[in-house]
Amino acid sequence: MQTLGSKMQPVLYLCLLLMPCLFLVEEAHAACHGGISLRSQRMALLHWKDTLASPPVQMSSWQENTTPCNWTGIVCTAVRHGRRMPRVVTDISLPDAGIRGQLGELNFSALAFLTYIDLSNNSLHGALPASISCLSSLLELYLPYNQLTWKIPYEIGGLQSLRVLELSFNRLTGHIPASLGNLTMLNDLIIDQNMVSGPIPEEIGRLVNLQLLQLSNSTLSGLIPKIPWKSDPTKYFELIW
Ligand SMILES: *[C@@H]1O[C@H](CO)[C@@H](O)[C@H](O)[C@H]1NC(C)=O
Ligand SMILES: *[C@@H]1O[C@H](CO)[C@@H](O)[C@H](O)[C@H]1NC(C)=O
Ligand SMILES: *[C@@H]1O[C@H](CO)[C@@H](O)[C@H](O)[C@H]1NC(C)=O
Ligand SMILES: *[C@@H]1O[C@H](CO)[C@@H](O)[C@H](O)[C@H]1NC(C)=O
Ligand SMILES: *[C@@H]1O[C@H](CO)[C@@H](O)[C@H](O)[C@H]1NC(C)=O
């Protein structure tokens, strides 16, 4: 008993040490479950509109007491939820709209059903928020021609369904996060015309579905990592470097 007890002790301490981390992980995960209610999705969108510097005319239909499914740039889709088929916000598409504000003000945990975001060519500034990883159903994310700064967050690796990531013509800095290697469904990875630097992480080599990798005019160094599918003639692949 004595020896077993002293053998168990380090394990016990380790468990105690890890406990707070486990809680944090759970909390972060829980923070992503905004639920199915169209009301909270509308609230999140209206809050974002409120934070914008002079919301553009395209957003004049974004009003209290109307369904967001009727708003310009918003698409809803019916999803199965138990025995019901409620409608949820799945698309935000407002390119070239002159939106001036921050993505960090958009409560992504309330918009977990988004599959498509196109906010190309607006004036979004500030960071690409880590909370974007809540969008586990997101298929396509278009944010080129904005003024996004700071680094691409590590949490982007949580966008497990993503097919297209387009971030070109922004002011992103820092390294390309290795967590991008988690996005194994990715077809297009377009990060050119930014200020990202450092080596290209070798995890990019895990993106077996990649068809377009566009990294030109950034201050990247080092070699393109071994890309096993690059020489596979059965696969279309283009590298713009
Ligand atoms: C974001 O949305 C979630 C889900 O609706 C909500 O619980 C949370 O309070 C919202 N956060 C903010 C900062 O409004
Ligand atoms: C949506 O807008 C159309 C007209 O643009 C209107 O006829 C319809 O009643 C609206 N639906 C809801 C639920 O507000
Ligand atoms: C961006 O949008 C503006 C209108 O807001 C348009 O004049 C311009 O051509 C667009 N630029 C690109 C690169 O699409
Ligand atoms: C990426 O995947 C690894 C396991 O393959 C996991 O440990 C890690 O948390 C993931 N990262 C993100 C940002 O999702
Ligand atoms: C590369 O980016 C810089 C600014 O980051 C810009 O001034 C320059 O025109 C770009 N060059 C090309 C060839 O696109």
Side-chain angles (χ1 to χ4, degrees), residues 139-153:
L139 300 174
E140 297 175 42
L141 177 59
Y142 299 96
L143 296 170
Y145 296 99
N146 280 288
Q147 288 122 42
L148 298 174
T149 49
W150 205 240
K151 60 184 171 86
I152 301 171

Side-chain angles (χ1 to χ4, degrees), residues 124-144:
L124 300 174
H125 60 94
L128 193 56
S131 61
I132 204 159
S133 63
C134 282
L135 307 181
S136 55
S137 300
L138 194 66
L139 300 174
E140 297 175 42
L141 177 59
Y142 299 96
L143 296 170

Side-chain angles (χ1 to χ4, degrees), residues 64-84:
E64 292 277 2
N65 305 319
T66 59
T67 170
C69 307
N70 249 7
W71 296 351
T72 305
I74 300 295
V75 172
C76 292
T77 308
V79 295
R80 180 163 294 288
H81 184 67
R83 268 188 271 167
R84 297 186 306 127

Side-chain angles (χ1 to χ4, degrees), residues 30-35 37 39-41 43-44 47 105-111:
C32 281
H33 287 279
S37 136
R39 188 174 161 274
S40 61
Q41 295 166 42
M43 272 167 53
H47 168 81
E105 297 285 356
L106 190 49
N107 185 352
F108 288 114
S109 48
L111 294 161

Side-chain angles (χ1 to χ4, degrees), residues 1-9:
M1 271 323 274
Q2 191 70 22
T3 44
L4 183 66
S6 54
K7 262 188 196 163
M8 288 299 285
Q9 251 175 22

